[in-house]
Every structure is written in C-alpha cells, then in structure tokens.
Amino acid sequence: MPDKIQFESLAGLSPFEIKDELIKLARAGAEKSSGTFLNAGRGNPNWIATRAREAFFLLGQFALTEARRSYDDPVAGLAGMPPRDGAYQRFTRWIAKQTRIQEADWDDEDGIPPARTLGDAVEFAIAKFGFDPDAFLHELTDSIIGDNYPVPDRALHHNEIITHEYLMWAMCAGHPPGVKFDLYPVEGGTAAMCYLFKALKNQRLLNAGDTIALATPIFTPYLEMPELEDYGLHVIRVNAEQEDRFQLTESDLTALEDPTVKALFLVNPGNPSAAAMDRDSIRRLVDFVNTKRPDLMILTDDVYGTFVPDFESILGHLPRNTIGVYSYSKYFGCTGWRLGVIAVAQDNIFDERIAAHPAEVQTLLDKRYHALTPKPRELRFIDRIVADSRDVALNHTSGLSLPQQVMMTLFGLVEMMDAEKIYQKACIAICVKRFRNLVDGLGVESNPGPYFDHYYGVIDLEFWLRKYVGEDVVTWVKQNIHPLDIPFRLAEDHGIVLLNGSGFAAPNWSVRVSFANLNDDAYLSIGRAVRSIARGYVQAYQAATGKTVKL
C-alpha cells in the first residue's frame, strides 16, 4: 500500500485512473485471502432491458426480407435496399405470422412474445403520433439495415418525435413545459459532453478565461475538461453539502450573481451524491435565473433521472436557458450501445447570444460555416453542435448511426407502452435493495429521502465518525491518515474497489459506491468492510491517545 507521500502524488489523478491500481490490489488481496473480488467502482449496470432488444433483433429479420425484395443474389450473399411502398402491409402480415409461431410455444411466465412487442410498438407509434405507416416502417427497416447515411443528419424524423416524447416523461415527470426541443442523438453521454464543450467554445459562448460554475459533487470529467488547454476555463464550485442532502441553498446561488459566471453545469441526480434536485431547489434556481440571471447558460446532465419516480429536470423549468443531456446507458443496461441525446429548446438564449456577437466574431463564424449554407448567420445552435461534432467539413456524414437510432426508438416505445411502469419499478427495486444491504452492513441508520436515486452512494467516513464517535477521533484521523487510505485499504485488505469521493469534489474522506453492478449480497460485505476500516481507525486513535471510545 502506498505511504502518505505516495498518496499525495496520487491525489491529483482522476479516480478512474486510480481505479486501475485499486483493481490490481483488490484482485491480489482477494486471491491471498480466498475472498471475493468486488468492484463497485464503476456504474455499469448488471441488468438489461430485454423487450426492446427482442423487438430490435426480430425487426432485423424482417428488414432482411425487405432488402431481398428489391434485389436478391443468395449465392453471392447480396441484396438490395428495403423499399418503402407497401412496407406497412407487408410488416403486418409478417408480424402476424411470427406472433402465431411464437405464441404456440410460449408460456405465460415467459413474458410477452417478441413478435407481439414489436407489432404493438409499431401500432402504438402510428396511432399515438399519426405517422404515415409506410414512411415509419421504411425508416425502421432501412435504418436497422444501416445501408444509408443518417438523413436528416441531426436526427431521424420519426426517432426524434418518439425520443422527444420519451424525454418529456423521463425528464419532465410527464408534464412537458409546452415548448418544442430539437434533439441530436449522439454516441452516449460521453459524446454529448465532448460535443457541447467544443460547440460552446466554437460559438464563442465560452472563451478561454471565462468562468463557469459546477454544482459539486459532480462527475469527474466536468471537473477535468474545463482545465484542458482546449478550453482554459476558470471554475468555481457551487458546493451542495451532505448536511443539506446535497440540495442547492439560497447561499449556494449567491456566487452565480456575478455576471462573469457565464454558465452553470450540473448533474441531476448527482453523481456521486445520487440526490435529485427537490422541488424547493428547483424553485430556488428558477426564481434566481428569472429574476437575477436570465442570461445564465445551464447544462444539465440527467442520466440517472429515470431512477427517481416523477423526476423533474431543470430542462423543463428553464428551457430557454438549458441544454439537456440524457443517456440511455444506465436505465436500459446498454452502455455498449452508446446511446445519448442532446436537447435544446427551439426558443433559447444560445441562438440569441450568437446573434448578438460583435461584427468581428460574426465574420469569423460566417467563415467557419460558409460551406454549409449561404446564410450562416441563420444556422441554429443545435445544427452548429452537429457540424462541430464532425469538424464542419464532415457535416455531410454526421449523425448517430441508424441502427443505434432504431434501438433508441424501440427503447422509447417499449417504455411508453409500459403504463404501469413495471420496468422502472423493477430497476429501482434492484438498487434500493442493494442500498439497504450496504446500510445493514455498515450498521447505521439512513433515510436518504424520496429524491435519492439509489444508483450511487457516498460513504463519508468523516461525517460518520463525527456522528458516532466524536470530533476528537475525526481530528486525529485527519492528522495521521491520508484520505486515499480508505479505498486502498478496502482494495488490499478486503478485495473491494470503490472510488475516492474527492475525485468527484465530494468530501475528501468519502468513497463512491455503485449499487448497479454487483449482486445484492455483495453490498452487505462492502458495508461490513467499510465499517471494519472505520473501526481500525478508531482503534488506532485509542492506541495512540490512550482514550477509549465506542463504535
């Protein structure tokens, strides 16, 4: 295990880089003790959504029959492109046959046959959105085959409509704000972050030396990207405290009154805090922006919102000011699919600020986009994001791959058809059970409240020791032990990987645990291991001071 000096050299690293060393120690520790290696350091869920996937793979089979309809050379393994005319009628015949075949060999405990899921999803979409049946089926078949570039490049026509409706449920508690958002499907939340930082810089909405605020704790890349020479942004932290259940208070917002603070970036629900903004926090921020900072740009990353019933994003309350980011990865168990979306209201301050640039900046931007349109000043912010994501010159080949967009379409449709929210309740129940197991292992009481998403958790040993054994122990521990000792001791002594909370601007003496990626019983073991480390610190304090405390 590193000594105190080595810990200091590691403290500046991303927790995701420290993780690699922790994994090595944990594997070795688990082998030495014949224990179990437990990696709760990364939030990849160990469940998947099956129904949309079943529909996806079945749709691919139909699409191949469509492709062979226009041209077929079975010897060479070569076919044509799926035709549009009559596609819906052919689909209804084909899906009816598949449904009969599947239902003949299907038991009730097997759930819904994939053919019925796919057929119901198509009929649901046509009825709900008034789609032209052939046009919708052709988008599905041609896209799942992947034989064309994305057209339109920003988002497929039907997919954007479906995804918009899904987001209004996922992000706006089923109560949309009454405005239209333009969507850009992207390669997961990761790509969304990269594209947005680049676009904000290229549009001169954020320039080197500008100040942005981060609502901390926050996902590590939001701390690291502004420091890159590509952006050179000055960062202030609006720190939500654990004592306030990680909610923004009136005093937290005071720092945003400074007009030199150009933007506020937040993750809601938090990563790693797992706390969603409650109604009071939303009201405070909305009132603040409307009365004091109507020019404030906001980026909200709401990946974990679907783990909080009736979640409300700031996107729905301040649509003009806000860029929304959502990823399908965690909720549907599809990190490998790389599915995300950027949302910008059609009426927004970003277009207004671009239009208000001084003449010399407008001329520079005209030059950047002149190859795309004879009127570059009319190019909207959302379309500039798309162009910048492909360095403008490759704008004609931009857009998320078509099979990925079909997967988004089916995830959205299956979720919308689930009126009882059976899937959502099942996902939440998995995380809640694991959270409770951890708390039982820790031997503490915890009631995080209705705005806690249970996807991650922050175990703050300083907060815990202060509550259960007193300030003297906390003072001694902070003077004699390095905060990174916690994750390293967990790895070496217990074969457990947790990430250091300090890497997320969470409390220094905390670790982040993911409730998504291990079996339920593992969290009881993790809780006991953390308690064992805390007990060890207390015993070291007693040995050094001669004082007796009870833990």
Side-chain angles (χ1 to χ4, degrees):
M1 182 180 296
D3 58 26
K4 194 166 185 178
I5 295 176
Q6 290 173 308
F7 276 141
E8 288 295 340
S9 67
L10 294 172
L13 295 179
S14 163
F16 295 100
E17 301 305 321
I18 295 175
K19 165 185 62 67
D20 295 336
E21 183 62 29
L22 295 175
I23 288 174
K24 293 178 187 176
L25 284 173
R27 289 190 185 279
E31 291 173 3
K32 185 168 58 178
S33 64
S34 299
T36 303
F37 168 66
L38 298 174
N39 184 356
R42 195 168 189 182
N44 197 106
N46 62 352
W47 67 80
I48 65 165
T50 58
R51 288 179 182 166
R53 285 176 166 90
E54 289 171 339
F56 178 89
F57 291 116
L58 189 61
L59 176 64
Q61 295 177 37
F62 171 71
L64 282 171
T65 70
E66 287 289 282
R68 293 187 176 106
R69 184 173 295 278
S70 58
Y71 181 81
D72 188 21
D73 182 348
V75 176
L78 188 151
M81 291 181 168
R84 168 177 165 160
D85 291 345
Y88 173 70
Q89 187 177 38
R90 292 190 296 274
F91 173 78
T92 55
R93 290 197 301 265
W94 186 88
I95 205 68
K97 179 180 178 181
Q98 297 301 315
T99 302
R100 288 194 300 272
I101 293 170
Q102 291 180 4
E103 288 183 342
D105 192 33
W106 208 263
D107 295 324
D108 289 342
E109 58 266 25
D110 293 330
I112 301 173
R116 196 194 315 164
T117 298
L118 176 58
D120 288 350
V122 168
E123 297 300 334
F124 175 86
I126 291 171
K128 182 174 180 63
F129 302 109
F131 292 158
D132 174 272
D134 280 353
F136 180 48
L137 258 298
H138 184 250
E139 178 176 294
L140 292 177
T141 56
D142 189 64
S143 297
I144 201 168
I145 288 293
D147 59 341
N148 272 308
Y149 291 108
V151 179
D153 52 11
R154 178 170 58 78
L156 291 174
H157 172 71
H158 300 92
N159 180 42
E160 182 172 21
I161 294 170
I162 292 166
T163 302
H164 190 285
E165 185 72 10
Y166 169 77
L167 288 180
M168 292 305 97
W169 166 76
M171 302 291 96
C172 301
H175 304 290
V179 302
K180 174 70 169 61
F181 293 89
D182 287 321
L183 307 182
Y184 177 25
V186 294
E187 301 87 346
T190 301
M193 289 178 61
C194 295
Y195 296 164
L196 287 171
F197 269 91
K198 178 185 284 191
L200 289 167
K201 173 190 175 182
N202 289 340
Q203 307 318 309
R204 276 63 171 182
L205 296 175
L206 288 177
N207 300 298
D210 282 350
T211 299
I212 64 170
L214 301 179
T216 53
I218 196 168
F219 185 41
T220 304
Y222 286 105
L223 296 164
E224 298 171 348
M225 288 182 70
E227 297 180 356
L228 297 175
E229 62 178 342
D230 305 51
Y231 308 109
L233 299 170
H234 175 64
V235 171
I236 63 170
R237 297 181 182 181
V238 179
N239 196 39
E241 301 289 347
Q242 182 167 336
E243 291 82 354
D244 298 316
R245 292 180 181 259
F246 296 107
Q247 298 297 327
L248 294 176
T249 65
E250 294 284 359
S251 60
D252 292 330
L253 299 178
T254 303
L256 302 178
E257 293 181 6
D258 184 348
T260 63
V261 179
K262 299 293 183 65
L264 169 66
F265 288 15
L266 56 90
V267 175
N268 179 31
N271 175 5
S273 70
M277 293 178 71
D278 62 21
R279 301 295 186 268
D280 288 339
S281 284
I282 292 174
R283 175 190 53 78
R284 277 192 288 270
L285 182 56
V286 169
D287 290 347
F288 174 84
V289 170
N290 286 336
T291 60
K292 296 182 179 181
R293 288 298 311 276
D295 61 327
L296 184 68
M297 298 182 290
I298 299 173
L299 187 151
T300 182
D301 185 332
D302 299 333
V303 173
Y304 305 98
T306 36
F307 292 89
V308 177
D310 299 319
F311 170 75
E312 292 188 30
S313 167
I314 203 68
L315 180 74
H317 291 271
L318 290 169
R320 292 194 75 250
N321 297 72
T322 306
I323 303 169
V325 172
Y326 178 72
S327 169
Y328 290 67
S329 297
K330 305 304 193 296
Y331 187 54
F332 294 106
C334 64
T335 53
W337 264 104
R338 314 309 295 143
L339 304 179
V341 62
I342 296 170
V344 180
Q346 291 184 341
D347 175 24
N348 65 78
I349 67 169
F350 308 97
D351 283 314
E352 289 179 1
R353 294 186 64 171
I354 292 169
H357 278 322
E360 61 271 21
V361 175
Q362 293 281 13
T363 300
L364 287 172
L365 294 179
D366 289 348
K367 184 176 180 181
R368 181 174 181 84
Y369 300 108
H370 75 93
L372 305 185
T373 171
K375 298 180 179 179
R377 297 190 186 189
E378 295 180 6
L379 194 66
R380 297 176 306 154
F381 176 57
I382 187 72
D383 295 315
R384 293 167 188 246
I385 298 173
V386 177
D388 287 349
S389 74
R390 298 299 186 267
D391 291 327
V392 183
L394 291 166
N395 180 70
H396 63 288
T397 57
S398 58
L400 185 66
S401 83
L402 300 187
Q404 286 173 284
Q405 292 197 52
V406 172
M407 191 76 259
M408 288 177 65
T409 290
L410 292 172
F411 278 139
L413 288 175
V414 171
E415 181 61 52
M416 281 186 267
M417 292 192 298
D418 183 5
E420 301 298 319
K421 295 302 161 199
I422 296 171
Y423 178 81
Q424 183 188 37
K425 291 172 183 175
C427 291
I428 291 174
I430 291 171
C431 295
V432 169
K433 183 176 182 180
R434 295 170 180 179
F435 168 79
R436 289 175 177 164
N437 283 350
L438 179 87
V439 171
D440 287 346
L442 285 169
V444 299
E445 296 179 359
S446 179
N447 179 23
Y451 297 97
F452 189 69
D453 69 25
H454 296 92
Y455 198 93
Y456 292 116
V458 174
I459 306 174
D460 184 353
L461 262 70
E462 179 181 349
F463 181 84
W464 187 31
L465 290 171
R466 180 174 289 114
K467 179 176 180 179
Y468 289 100
V469 296
E471 192 66 43
D472 288 349
V473 178
V474 171
T475 301
W476 184 89
V477 168
K478 293 174 74 172
Q479 289 175 346
N480 292 276
I481 301 172
H482 194 280
L484 284 179
D485 183 75
I486 304 168
F488 274 84
R489 194 167 296 280
L490 279 168
E492 189 168 41
D493 295 349
H494 300 276
I496 292 170
V497 176
L498 303 183
L499 300 188
N500 56 301
S502 57
F504 301 84
N508 274 345
W509 289 85
S510 69
V511 286
R512 186 193 80 162
V513 56
S514 163
F515 296 110
N517 63 322
L518 295 174
N519 293 331
D520 299 351
D521 292 344
Y523 293 93
L524 190 63
S525 299
I526 292 172
R528 289 169 177 164
V530 174
R531 183 176 178 84
S532 173
I533 288 173
R535 186 181 295 113
Y537 292 161
V538 172
Q539 291 170 349
Y541 163 80
Q542 292 177 140
T545 64
K547 298 179 181 179
T548 301
V549 295
K550 184 179 180 181
L551 177 60

